[in-house]
Amino acid sequence: MERGGTISRDLLESVRDKIRQGLLPQWVFSDPDIYREELHKIFYRTWQFLGHESEIPQPGDFVTRWMVYDPVLLLRDTDGQVQAYLNSCTHRGSPLCVEDGGNKKTFTCPYHGWTFNTKGELIGVIAGNKVYGEEFDRSEWALRKIPRLEMVHGMIFGCLDPQAPPLLEFLGDLKWYWDILLGRTDHGVEVRGVPHRWVIRTNWKISSDNFGGDPYHTAMTHRSAVELGIAPKDPLYGSYGYQVVLDRGHGFIISTAPPGLQMPPYQGLPEVLWPEFERNLLPAQRSVFQKAVVMVGTCFPNLSWVSPMHGTGGPDEPLTTFINFRVWRPLAANRIEVWSWLMVDKDAPEDFKEASYRSYIGSFGPAGTLEQDDCEIWTRVVESSRGFMAQNKDVNYNNVLNYLMGLDRVKPVDDWPGPGVAYPTCFLDAISRSFYEHWAEMLLA
Amino acid sequence: MSRLTYGDVVQLLFHEAALLDRREYDAWLDLLDDSIVYRMPLRITRDPRSGPEIRDDMAFFEENKASLRTRVERLKTTSAWAELPPTRARHFISNILAEPVTDDGTLTVASSFLVLRSRRENADVEQIFGERRDVWRWNGERWRLFRRTIYPDQTTLSVMNLSMFL
């Protein structure tokens, strides 16, 4: 793609250099040219989360998904293999399936009736050879596969770039931490129900960065939880724990109990699961997991997760936790669609799963008391970033935002048991700087 | 009580809507039975021959009286930013279909809702709409909301958050 008139290589290099100094030019939050660059240089080249295996357990089960603007038909074929196709008929391009999910053995296009099976083969053409001739080769008109499709812990990813590195290479050391989140029990996690979907007027980087590297916001954005006595008053409460900076813009945050406060191990997960942790995790992974209260982060570019511990353990408030993954699907420079999945260990007791579900709905999803305020403030950031001064690319107005926290001040932990570079606090912009540096490098590639 | 007229039912639902629009949340909580089940399941798009659109295994709201009270208390804090400054919302309740009150004092009523919301200075209007299925009970003194299921018509919500009650 040709570069937009305003985004030169020099400009991108200057942005990258600024980020290394802990400064982010504000214009990148709503500039339409950089948004188009991001689509081509980042979203069409990186692995995108499509769904979880547990959403399509039976042959013929399907869901429809999006890779930004590419419609995807994700299904389990009649042989039990997961497949992903461009959800667009090879005849005239009409969407083949406009349902969110279901079970089908064949998909018939409503435009001219071409029919495909779960292997993507064209198996039915109205009037067939009578109109196309005996030489018509149906195998040439099979559904177009999403070029790359791979899985880890049941998490299904697609990639539009045939030359992209394998999924495990893309994830790198993040896999070690996802083992804790998704691979700790014998049968892994399952999705409950269907994902929440809603639209926010913000830029995808703001939400990705918020989940990826910004526990600092909890003290103010979520102060209502403090006022209600749900969260402690200590302004440093969200800081206890570790930021782990990983390669390729990924990050993983493990928040821990404040000094001197005893918290249940393993996020308060039921003891019946602990032997499974021993079976499935390395001692080093267990030592990280054991002290985790909240695990949160972003897989570059736009897949985030949060797994907090909620409740007091009292009779009305069982101690619980949940796993929530979300895709921040870009719709425009100033608009995203959120897809948010609740996941829980399959092997967890049913009453725990129910408590987990209620805890998720109370705090996250569009009605969640934490999520509500996040959405409002992310919207405001974009509103105040689209004007002449904020958009000025010569930085005449010193229009850079502050990503300086901990720069050259906070040293990594020497004896961290896991991969990556771990810092001994969550109030730090190290992951954010790494996220944006990688973002700039990809735009420059 | 058992001779509740259609006008009485309309008045009951409009009164509740007015409490929400006027942000009189404590009075609204008083309208709710202590054992209320208040939920809003998700909707998906699918071929009706293959199953229901409503997915009861995931919800936007899955509330009881205690959790609704927590939500109300949150709105009274000085940092519930989704509602600070307060949004202006208007609950339009219509298409009210009431069944006759049963002998034990139960009123089953369905209604359509359209909630329009204005945020800060924005000229754009947010909206959400759908159907509510209610069960109200007479407690000897007044009618209280005992069950409410809210069915959104959208699968992907266009409101950025559900900081309001429906």
Side-chain angles (χ1 to χ4, degrees):
Chain A
M1 174 193 141
E2 280 182 45
R3 285 249 156 79
T6 52
I7 313 290
S8 67
R9 193 168 179 87
D10 285 351
L11 180 58
L12 284 172
E13 282 172 354
S14 78
V15 168
R16 181 195 55 198
D17 296 344
K18 284 260 178 318
I19 291 159
R20 287 176 176 163
Q21 301 160 37
L23 306 170
L24 182 70
Q26 192 170 354
W27 62 267
V28 305
F29 284 157
S30 58
D31 181 272
D33 292 328
I34 199 91
Y35 176 72
R36 277 192 294 275
E37 290 277 296
E38 288 168 347
L39 294 183
H40 287 263
K41 296 281 193 162
I42 296 174
F43 287 95
Y44 299 160
R45 293 183 179 183
T46 51
W47 288 90
Q48 303 286 308
F49 179 65
L50 296 175
H52 191 268
E53 261 203 297
S54 61
E55 295 182 90
I56 46 171
Q58 302 299 327
D61 284 352
F62 73 90
V63 291
T64 51
R65 296 285 145 91
W66 290 92
M67 297 171 78
V68 189
Y69 302 137
D70 286 74
V72 178
L73 176 59
L74 179 69
L75 57 77
R76 192 174 290 276
D77 70 22
T78 43
D79 290 336
Q81 297 299 307
V82 173
Q83 307 279 3
Y85 306 104
L86 187 69
N87 186 8
S88 176
C89 183
T90 53
H91 175 232
R92 285 289 195 277
S94 169
L96 197 58
C97 177
V98 292
E99 296 172 60
D100 291 330
N103 184 289
K104 287 186 176 192
K105 297 294 185 284
T106 58
F107 296 85
T108 299
C109 180
Y111 200 0
H112 301 87
W114 283 28
T115 298
F116 302 84
N117 64 16
T118 59
K119 299 203 172 291
E121 296 161 337
L122 176 62
I123 56 165
V125 177
I126 291 180
N129 295 356
K130 291 196 180 73
V131 287
Y132 290 102
E134 291 301 326
E135 67 280 14
F136 180 50
D137 183 356
R138 294 180 186 197
S139 68
E140 288 179 8
W141 299 98
L143 287 181
R144 289 160 282 184
K145 284 194 175 191
I146 300 303
R148 303 286 295 282
L149 186 71
E150 292 182 28
M151 273 187 278
V152 59
H153 291 310
M155 306 277 285
I156 307 166
F157 288 78
C159 184
L160 299 170
D161 179 5
Q163 263 71 54
L167 176 62
L168 282 179
E169 190 181 325
F170 164 78
L171 294 175
D173 290 333
L174 181 57
K175 164 72 166 51
W176 194 91
Y177 295 92
W178 275 10
D179 290 345
I180 299 173
L181 204 57
L182 299 164
R184 62 205 180 194
T185 49
D186 295 351
H187 299 94
V189 300
E190 62 188 4
V191 168
R192 170 156 175 157
V194 291
H196 282 129
R197 290 173 66 181
W198 74 105
V199 172
I200 311 177
R201 288 174 190 229
T202 193
N203 180 269
W204 67 272
K205 295 189 292 299
I206 294 171
S207 45
S208 281
D209 175 31
N210 175 280
F211 270 64
D214 186 14
Y216 185 49
H217 85 286
T218 58
M220 191 62 186
T221 303
H222 303 309
R223 203 180 74 190
S224 66
V226 177
E227 289 190 52
L228 288 174
I230 296 169
K233 280 198 175 125
D234 177 4
L236 285 170
Y237 180 66
S239 75
Y240 305 114
Y242 304 89
Q243 275 211 0
V244 185
V245 177
L246 301 166
D247 287 345
R248 296 181 187 79
H250 311 317
F252 200 95
I253 292 173
I254 300 112
S255 96
T256 58
L261 189 70
Q262 278 294 325
M263 300 280 252
Y266 301 124
Q267 299 185 292
L269 280 158
E271 280 189 51
V272 66
L273 295 176
W274 296 5
E276 299 196 21
F277 304 159
E278 294 198 10
R279 280 200 289 278
N280 293 294
L281 298 177
L282 302 167
Q285 289 170 318
R286 286 207 304 278
S287 78
V288 170
F289 185 25
Q290 200 260 345
K291 59 187 164 196
V293 174
V294 182
M295 293 186 282
V296 59
T298 291
C299 171
F300 186 89
N302 66 330
L303 172 65
S304 299
W305 61 89
V306 59
S307 176
M309 186 166 99
H310 284 159
T312 58
D316 300 332
E317 252 192 297
L319 204 57
T320 191
T321 180
F322 56 82
I323 303 164
N324 169 220
F325 269 81
R326 63 253 319 282
V327 166
W328 318 105
R329 176 192 167 204
L331 295 178
N334 58 0
R335 222 161 159 246
I336 61 171
E337 180 189 5
V338 190
W339 290 65
S340 176
W341 290 259
L342 171 64
M343 298 176 191
V344 64
D345 291 281
K346 270 185 208 168
D347 294 346
E350 286 307 313
D351 59 341
F352 175 84
K353 289 183 183 177
E354 192 60 24
S356 184
Y357 162 69
R358 286 177 177 269
S359 173
Y360 163 67
I361 289 178
S363 49
F364 288 93
T369 50
L370 299 176
E371 187 109 43
Q372 288 178 20
D373 294 333
D374 285 329
C375 300
E376 168 70 23
I377 290 181
W378 297 341
T379 300
R380 294 184 193 179
V381 174
V382 165
E383 283 174 17
S384 54
S385 298
R386 65 190 171 196
F388 178 76
M389 285 178 72
Q391 288 290 301
N392 184 283
K393 297 183 177 68
D394 300 325
V395 200
N396 280 338
Y397 303 94
N398 195 30
N399 59 348
V400 288
L401 302 174
N402 183 316
Y403 281 75
L404 287 163
M405 200 188 301
L407 183 67
D408 298 329
R409 289 183 69 242
V410 179
K411 300 294 170 227
V413 179
D414 288 334
D415 55 350
W416 180 250
V421 180
Y423 294 88
T425 175
C426 297
F427 282 5
L428 187 69
D429 288 332
I431 291 177
S432 296
R433 288 190 291 267
S434 165
F435 173 91
Y436 281 110
E437 187 171 341
H438 186 69
W439 165 83
E441 294 287 2
M442 283 205 78
L443 293 177
L444 280 162
Chain B
M1 174 268 289
S2 60
R3 288 205 302 274
L4 204 56
T5 66
Y6 185 74
D8 294 333
V9 175
V10 171
Q11 183 77 4
L12 182 65
L13 295 184
F14 284 7
H15 172 64
E16 186 212 352
L19 292 178
L20 292 173
D21 291 345
R22 294 169 187 167
R23 305 179 77 85
E24 295 177 19
Y25 296 122
D26 286 326
W28 181 71
L29 281 175
D30 286 342
L31 268 187
L32 311 182
D33 192 274
D34 287 344
S35 55
I36 186 170
V37 175
Y38 178 101
R39 61 191 315 268
M40 180 174 174
L42 263 65
R43 185 185 291 277
I44 60 167
T45 301
R46 72 188 302 185
D47 183 334
R49 291 166 299 184
S50 68
E53 284 196 342
I54 297 299
R55 287 292 298 250
D56 274 315
D57 50 359
M58 184 47 69
F60 292 110
F61 285 112
E62 192 69 83
E63 309 299 311
N64 55 29
K65 185 80 176 263
S67 68
L68 288 169
R69 188 179 300 282
T70 299
R71 288 176 183 276
V72 165
E73 291 303 319
R74 197 186 92 83
L75 294 176
K76 295 180 191 168
T77 66
T78 63
S79 51
W81 308 115
E83 292 291 333
L84 196 73
T87 63
R88 279 79 52 169
R90 195 65 55 187
H91 288 68
F92 297 91
I93 306 299
S94 69
N95 305 48
I96 297 166
L97 283 173
E99 293 178 18
V101 174
T102 61
D103 290 342
D104 65 347
T106 300
L107 166 67
T108 301
V109 56
S111 57
S112 298
F113 68 90
L114 167 64
V115 175
L116 301 181
R117 182 166 74 177
S118 168
R119 309 179 82 83
R120 296 179 274 115
E121 65 187 343
N122 294 345
D124 296 334
V125 176
E126 288 188 296
Q127 59 179 335
I128 185 166
F129 48 94
E131 179 175 350
R132 306 185 307 184
R133 300 280 179 95
D134 290 355
V135 178
W136 294 72
R137 275 193 175 169
W138 179 256
N139 73 352
E141 289 177 22
R142 56 191 297 205
W143 287 95
R144 294 181 106 195
L145 183 58
F146 180 62
R147 296 279 182 270
R148 171 164 290 164
T149 309
I150 301 150
Y151 298 108
D153 284 334
Q154 290 172 306
T155 61
T156 306
L157 300 186
S158 54
V159 290
M160 77 167 100
N161 55 31
L162 293 169
S163 54
M164 76 295 263
F165 300 103
L166 299 169

